[in-house]
Amino acid sequence: MTVRPDDWKRLPFEEMVAIPYRAAFDHKQFAKLSAGLLPRAMEDKWFVYLAGDELCFHRSWTGQGVYQVTMAQDRETYKVNNALCSNKMLVENDREYQSQLLDFLICNLLLGEAKPFPRPTGVTEQLPGIYQHAISGTGYREKVVAKKPWWKRWT
């Protein structure tokens, strides 16, 4: 079954900013991406569908548009040309983190892989998995992702 944009509630995308996510997918992977993701339970945090050449991610509870990934076919692969993230999701210019989180969502929720969840350094370790569950509804192992110091963000 292929998920269509009208299969779930969604809000229009608002102010978006570019993030440095780049990837390439073979035909088999692209078929999985094209199928999308339809929430089935409260734990399912994402509604994902392909609209033309854009893979669109919305939060399942609110319908808020969060990520747009534009792809183009290049011979045997589908390459990401552009990735955007909702400006509301960015905290302290964390574009690199949002790129890693998007990679986790694509690889684990759509492609069936088991990459570790990128947990930001500021998130407490006292309750392991709580942040991950709130963001992705999953329970994969985690890796702590350090943010670049502010003076290195322009390099």
Side-chain angles (χ1 to χ4, degrees):
M1 176 181 113
T2 299
V3 176
R4 297 182 314 264
D6 293 332
D7 287 343
W8 197 259
K9 70 177 178 182
R10 62 190 166 89
L11 298 173
F13 286 96
E14 295 179 5
E15 185 179 344
M16 305 291 281
V17 294
I19 58 174
Y21 177 72
R22 295 293 177 258
F25 306 100
D26 61 27
H27 287 287
K28 191 174 183 179
Q29 291 171 317
F30 186 75
K32 289 181 179 180
L33 297 178
S34 299
L37 181 66
L38 188 63
R40 302 225 183 267
M42 290 282 287
E43 293 77 24
D44 298 334
K45 309 292 186 189
W46 295 95
F47 168 55
V48 184
Y49 59 90
L50 187 67
D53 62 353
E54 286 186 344
L55 189 62
C56 301
F57 289 73
H58 294 262
R59 292 296 286 180
S60 65
W61 289 12
T62 64
Q64 177 187 356
V66 178
Y67 298 109
Q68 287 177 300
V69 180
T70 306
M71 294 180 277
Q73 187 172 3
D74 182 24
R75 296 190 179 131
E76 297 299 314
T77 62
Y78 293 83
K79 291 186 178 178
V80 172
N81 288 337
N82 194 29
L84 301 173
C85 176
S86 169
N87 196 40
K88 291 180 180 179
M89 293 293 290
L90 293 178
V91 178
E92 298 178 14
N93 197 20
D94 63 348
R95 294 177 187 192
E96 180 61 40
Y97 174 74
Q98 291 299 328
S99 178
Q100 292 178 42
L101 181 56
L102 177 60
D103 184 60
F104 170 85
L105 295 173
I106 288 174
C107 291
N108 292 24
L109 300 183
L110 298 172
L111 298 179
E113 297 177 12
K115 285 190 171 186
F117 179 82
R119 182 169 38 90
T121 50
V123 174
T124 181
E125 294 181 38
Q126 292 176 344
L127 301 170
I130 298 295
Y131 180 76
Q132 178 183 170
H133 182 73
I135 297 298
S136 64
T138 59
Y140 291 93
R141 71 183 167 85
E142 298 181 348
K143 69 175 181 179
V144 176
V145 178
K147 289 185 179 181
K148 283 185 179 181
W150 66 268
W151 63 87
K152 291 188 178 184
R153 290 191 180 137
W154 296 280
T155 58

